[in-house]
Amino acid sequence: MSYSRDVYQTALNMLRRRRDEDEAELQRRTNDAMSRLPQLEEIQRKLQRIGLNVSRAVFDGNAEQKIEELKNESLRLQKEKRALLKSAGLDEDELSERYFCPACRDTGYVNGEMCVCHTELLKEITREAVRRNAPLDECTFETFKTEYYPGEAAEKAQKIAESCRRYAAQFTPSSPNLLIMGGTGLGKTHLSLAIANIVISRGYSVIYGTSQNIFSQLQDEKFARAQSGAVTERGVLETDLLIIDDLGTEYKNQFTAAMLYNTINTRLLKRRATIISTNFTFDDLERDYDQRITSRLTGEYSPLVLEGGDIRSIR
């Protein structure tokens, strides 16, 4: 799964904040309990001394016997502490640390393997990045309706939707590239985001943006105008799935033409899946883009063509 360094760092920062919150909450509960039960402080000090004495006993000749005595004393003190807490109506584990994820203790790893909570954070960070640019949560295969498509166009749209659903369910970074075509308001963005929803939930990284936004942000990065969290060239080239929406709306100049070609070509060489949607026909693409780009779009992308009028306006 090729998440960007920024995504990984954001997840690690969130895990670190969880640990800080765990410790702060433990300290708050400890202070509260000791203010109500002053004798707890002495028990805690004795338990801490036992821990130090165990370390020292390792170097003694009678370490095994001494450690057993210390262990028994620790058990006695812990029992006394639990009884004291219970008598005050507090939980027996009131002075134990409580974690958001007990499995990894909010470190993000269990026995050197990434914890489920860590992978879920990576997914949610990816979702949030897409949400900033599009209505991700609203665009699912369940909410894609074909009743407003005329005649045979409805049947064709349904088949395309089913094909996109299979694509998402079977997705790997080396999946085929898709070129979703059709007029305004036919559901191209909806289908792209429905794919993104499933691909993200399966643990793959996704970058989504309109052609205009992606290449504008890449230009900002190129000329040192990028802000934190913006799309980066490295992310665009390496993410598991790149979705470029509304190809043809970007401001066309030498930079965007070169960046579009580099994005398409590099991802083909890396065998990284890309989905491009556009209102353009093949003739429009050949009119606005040079042959290096159009030959790759026509030869390396599977076309899915939606037909009919603007569904948004009909609804």
Side-chain angles (χ1 to χ4, degrees):
M1 314 303 178
S2 185
Y3 292 103
S4 71
R5 285 181 295 183
D6 286 345
V7 171
Y8 277 118
Q9 189 58 55
T10 300
L12 291 174
N13 291 342
M14 293 174 73
L15 288 167
R16 187 178 300 112
R17 283 197 296 273
R18 284 180 180 176
R19 293 196 297 275
D20 291 343
E21 290 167 4
D22 295 338
E23 293 174 6
E25 176 59 17
L26 174 60
Q27 190 61 55
R28 184 197 65 75
R29 293 196 313 273
T30 300
N31 293 342
D32 179 62
M34 288 186 175
S35 68
R36 296 166 61 180
L37 301 165
Q39 53 270 58
L40 272 177
E41 188 170 358
E42 180 59 24
I43 293 175
Q44 289 291 90
R45 278 200 296 267
K46 288 180 179 179
L47 286 168
Q48 288 172 358
R49 283 200 297 271
I50 286 173
L52 292 173
N53 289 334
V54 167
S55 298
R56 292 170 183 162
V58 172
F59 298 99
D60 293 344
N62 60 344
E64 187 173 332
Q65 179 183 345
K66 184 65 173 176
I67 289 173
E68 185 65 25
E69 291 173 358
L70 291 170
K71 177 182 176 183
N72 290 334
E73 177 64 7
S74 175
L75 291 173
R76 185 190 68 78
L77 288 169
Q78 290 177 40
K79 183 177 179 180
E80 183 180 345
K81 181 174 71 172
R82 289 194 297 270
L84 194 59
L85 290 167
K86 189 175 181 180
S87 70
L90 299 172
D91 290 339
E92 291 184 356
D93 66 345
E94 191 73 9
L95 304 188
S96 299
E97 198 155 2
R98 298 170 184 169
Y99 301 100
F100 181 91
C101 177
C104 71
R105 298 187 173 189
D106 295 338
T107 63
Y109 291 88
V110 179
N111 298 325
E113 298 291 331
M114 189 177 291
C115 183
V116 171
C117 75
H118 195 164
T119 60
E120 289 303 316
L121 274 178
L122 294 170
K123 292 177 188 179
E124 186 54 32
I125 293 165
T126 303
R127 285 187 181 281
E128 189 54 39
V130 177
R131 286 188 188 112
R132 287 196 291 268
N133 297 305
L136 178 67
D137 299 318
E138 300 171 19
C139 296
T140 66
F141 289 110
E142 289 70 28
T143 59
F144 184 77
K145 306 299 180 184
T146 60
E147 60 261 35
Y148 296 104
Y149 289 82
E152 294 181 359
E155 183 179 351
K156 185 174 183 180
Q158 186 60 45
K159 288 181 179 179
I160 288 174
E162 290 169 0
S163 176
C164 288
R165 189 195 292 268
R166 288 193 299 272
Y167 179 91
Q170 299 168 6
F171 179 84
T172 68
S174 59
S175 287
N177 305 298
L178 301 181
L179 181 61
I180 306 179
M181 307 175 74
T184 301
L186 285 176
K188 299 184 300 297
T189 296
H190 191 124
L191 289 175
S192 296
L193 291 172
I195 292 172
N197 260 307
I198 293 178
V199 170
I200 292 170
S201 71
R202 294 182 57 220
Y204 293 102
S205 62
V206 175
I207 289 179
Y208 165 91
T210 64
S211 179
Q212 181 179 9
N213 288 340
I214 286 176
F215 293 113
S216 175
Q217 291 182 57
L218 291 178
Q219 190 163 3
D220 285 345
E221 180 192 27
K222 179 69 174 180
F223 297 103
R225 299 194 300 262
Q227 298 178 352
S228 177
V231 169
T232 65
E233 182 177 3
R234 180 171 180 172
V236 163
L237 296 181
E238 295 186 0
T239 187
D240 295 326
L241 175 62
L242 173 65
I243 300 176
I244 303 175
D245 203 9
D246 277 337
L247 180 68
T249 60
E250 73 279 1
Y251 181 73
K252 296 177 179 62
N253 55 29
Q254 286 186 334
F255 175 85
T256 56
M259 186 55 66
L260 175 60
Y261 170 75
N262 184 56
T263 298
I264 291 172
N265 192 58
T266 300
R267 289 185 64 81
L268 285 172
L269 294 174
K270 287 177 173 283
R271 294 185 60 79
R272 293 284 179 177
T274 306
I275 296 174
I276 296 177
S277 76
T278 182
N279 294 346
F280 280 15
T281 64
F282 286 112
D283 287 342
D284 295 330
L285 291 171
E286 290 179 353
R287 179 196 66 214
D288 281 26
Y289 298 100
D290 69 36
Q291 195 267 341
R292 296 185 308 161
I293 293 173
T294 55
S295 68
R296 284 163 176 77
L297 292 178
T298 56
E300 302 289 347
Y301 283 66
S302 300
L304 301 174
V305 184
L306 292 162
E307 299 173 350
D310 188 337
I311 302 303
R312 286 194 295 260
S313 65
I314 295 173
R315 287 188 295 194

